[in-house]
Amino acid sequence: MRTSVERQPPQQRIKLVNPAPLRPIGREGPGRRLVNLVVAAIGLAFTLPLMLLLALLIKLTSRGPVLFKQMRIGLDRRALSRAGGNTRRRVDLGGKAFTMYKFRTMYVASENGTSQVWAMPDDHRVTPVGRVLRRFRLDELPQLVNVLRGDMNIVGPRPEQPAIFIYLREQIEGYQRRQRVRPGITGWAQINQGYDTSIADVRRKLGYDLEYIRRQSPLEDLKIMAHTIPVMALRYGAW
C-alpha cells in the first residue's frame, strides 16, 4: 500500500470489527519455521533461472539497480499492553524494522524522493517490465531471501513502511495486532483481496490478517501457499 492520504480527524478513527482475542506472541515453533526455510530454499532453487532473466531484463530496459530495497516493519516481540502499545521504546515503530527486497518496477526518479501514494492502475511511474512483474507478482520473488534471513515467513501479513504503519495504526483501531506474527510474502488477505486503494480496503485486509493469526498453523500456511499459485497465474487483484 502506497499512500499520501491526509490524516483523518480523531473522531473518524476506524474501529476494528469483532476484535476477538489473539493467541500469544511467539507461537512460531521450530516446525513452522523449518517449513518456511525449506519452502524458501526450494523456491529459490527453482526460480533462480527466472530471477536471473528478470534481473537482466530490468537492467537492460531501464536505468538503475535491479533490486529495490525498502525499510519495513516486522514482528513485534513485546508483550502488548491493554492500550495496544508499549512505552519502553523511545520511538515505537510497532515492530522490528528490516530491509525488504523486491525487483525494481519503477523508474528510479519515481521511487526516490517522492511521497507515497495509493496503488493505481496504469501508473506512469512503472516501467514496461515492471508492469509485467507486478501483474504476476514476480517482483516479490527476492523476498525469499528475507525468509531465509528470518525477517519474514512465506505466509503472514504484508509488512508495511514505518511512516505508513504509524499512520494506519492511528486511523484503524487494533491495526498493530497484525504485528504479533512474522510478516509474509503472501497471506490470507492477499489471496482474498487485491491492492489497497483506500483506508476501507486496509480495514478489510486487517480482518483477514487477524483471522489468519487466530488459526495459523503449518497446514494453514501450506493451504495459503497452494492458493497463491492460481492467484499469481490469473493475476487476481494485480495491476
Side-chain angles (χ1 to χ4, degrees):
M1 190 274 291
R2 295 170 286 275
T3 179
S4 61
V5 180
E6 296 180 357
R7 294 177 182 271
Q8 299 179 5
Q11 63 269 24
Q12 296 184 11
R13 178 181 170 89
I14 300 174
K15 292 186 177 181
L16 177 63
V17 177
N18 188 28
L22 300 180
R23 296 173 182 175
I25 297 175
R27 290 184 61 256
E28 184 176 280
R32 186 161 180 258
R33 184 61 191 148
L34 179 61
V35 169
N36 280 274
L37 290 174
V38 170
V39 172
I42 294 175
L44 276 173
F46 273 91
T47 61
L48 183 58
L50 174 61
M51 292 175 69
L52 292 175
L53 176 61
L54 295 178
L56 180 62
L57 289 174
I58 293 170
K59 199 66 178 177
L60 292 177
T61 57
S62 63
R63 180 179 59 84
V66 169
L67 293 180
F68 177 59
K69 303 175 184 179
Q70 193 173 62
M71 191 69 68
R72 296 293 175 105
I73 300 300
L75 179 66
D76 187 353
R77 295 184 179 276
R78 300 168 297 165
L80 301 180
S81 69
R82 291 184 180 180
N86 190 303
T87 58
R88 287 181 296 173
R89 289 181 179 171
R90 187 173 182 180
V91 178
D92 183 6
L93 294 177
K96 182 181 179 181
F98 69 96
T99 301
M100 190 182 77
Y101 305 111
K102 300 179 70 172
F103 279 126
R104 180 174 58 82
T105 60
M106 290 186 176
Y107 295 104
V108 172
S110 300
E111 290 182 321
N112 296 324
T114 58
S115 59
Q116 298 299 306
V117 299
W118 293 104
M120 63 187 77
D122 301 320
D123 194 328
H124 68 279
R125 300 170 302 164
V126 180
T127 67
V129 172
R131 199 170 303 281
V132 175
L133 296 183
R134 287 189 172 199
R135 285 176 180 172
F136 292 96
R137 304 181 191 265
L138 296 175
D139 56 323
E140 313 287 357
L141 286 177
Q143 289 160 41
L144 291 170
V145 175
N146 285 116
V147 176
L148 293 179
R149 287 165 54 98
D151 302 323
M152 301 173 63
N153 279 340
I154 300 294
V155 177
R158 286 295 296 166
E160 196 49 87
Q161 299 176 56
I164 295 178
F165 174 84
I166 292 173
Y167 168 77
L168 294 173
R169 182 176 60 185
E170 293 176 353
Q171 301 303 315
I172 304 176
E173 183 178 346
Y175 184 78
Q176 70 278 359
R177 291 154 62 91
R178 69 201 294 276
Q179 306 306 121
R180 297 174 72 97
V181 297
R182 215 180 297 263
I185 299 176
T186 185
W188 186 233
Q190 280 62 49
I191 65 176
N192 282 283
Q193 187 173 314
Y195 289 136
D196 304 328
T197 58
S198 66
I199 290 289
D201 287 345
V202 178
R203 184 193 182 196
R204 282 190 290 271
K205 273 191 175 179
L206 175 61
Y208 286 120
D209 286 336
L210 298 186
E211 180 183 348
Y212 163 73
I213 292 174
R214 293 187 198 98
R215 67 186 194 192
Q216 62 176 308
S217 68
L219 180 59
E220 188 70 22
D221 285 356
L222 290 173
K223 288 180 179 178
I224 292 175
M225 291 178 203
H227 278 89
T228 299
I229 297 174
V231 168
M232 293 175 63
L234 298 176
R235 297 181 295 171
Y236 173 74
W239 293 331

